[in-house]
């Protein structure tokens, strides 16, 4: 059985692209403060709501799926780096070879393995 390749979020090696939104809307179009916390958000994989994102520098951020804030607000300590690293549930994964997050979060290849972001049974 293949072992998961999860990493704790590490220092981001590149620069953050400003103004770009992920396809999962991990960075929400909502401002926040201690008086106005972030609203509940919808999990991009299964569609379930869960209590708010974190307030990072006055902007609501889903730290469970935002590759620049994976697991926390500070991008220098919680960034996954660049592609093919993705943020799934607050951990960084290599989407090209992780059999439990193959090509995207939650895409489990079971025993088939993950090759270049595609499950082995599909190759």
């Amino acid at each position: 059985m293949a072992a998961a390749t999860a990493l704790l979020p590490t220092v981001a090696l590149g620069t953050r692209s400003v103004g770009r939104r992920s396809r999962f809307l991990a960075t929400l179009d909502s401002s926040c403060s201690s008086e106005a916390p972030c609203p509940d958000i919808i999990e991009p994989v299964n569609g379930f709501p869960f209590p708010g994102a974190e307030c990072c520098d006055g902007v609501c951020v889903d730290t469970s799926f935002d590759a620049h804030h994976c697991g926390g607000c500070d991008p220098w300590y919680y960034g996954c780096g660049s592609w093919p690293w993705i943020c799934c549930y607050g951990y960084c994964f290599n989407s090209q070879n992780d059999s439990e997050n193959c090509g995207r979060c939650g895409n489990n290849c079971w025993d088939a393995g993950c090759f270049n972001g595609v499950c082995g049974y599909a190759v």
Side-chain angles (χ1 to χ4, degrees):
M1 178 177 235
T5 56
L7 295 177
L8 292 174
T10 58
V11 175
L13 300 176
T15 58
R16 180 177 170 202
S17 59
V18 178
R20 182 175 176 201
R21 301 285 186 234
S22 90
R23 65 185 176 142
F24 297 124
L25 300 177
T27 304
L28 308 170
D29 291 322
S30 179
S31 59
C32 57
S33 67
S34 58
E35 292 81 32
C38 298
D40 285 354
I41 53 179
I42 304 299
E43 179 191 21
V45 175
N46 299 315
F48 299 115
F50 59 96
E54 289 190 44
C55 187
C56 300
D57 296 324
V59 177
C60 291
V61 177
D62 176 6
T63 58
S64 295
F65 294 94
D66 186 323
H68 299 295
H69 299 93
C70 192
C73 284
D74 189 341
W76 293 108
Y77 294 103
Y78 294 103
C80 291
S82 60
W83 184 89
W85 292 94
I86 58 174
C87 181
C88 301
Y89 310 102
Y91 294 94
C92 296
F93 294 93
N94 183 327
S95 65
Q96 297 298 289
N97 64 16
D98 183 77
S99 63
E100 294 180 12
N101 298 283
C102 188
R104 63 179 168 83
C105 294
N107 188 28
N108 195 325
C109 296
W110 304 104
D111 290 330
C114 180
F115 307 95
N116 297 318
V118 178
C119 290
Y121 54 76
V123 175

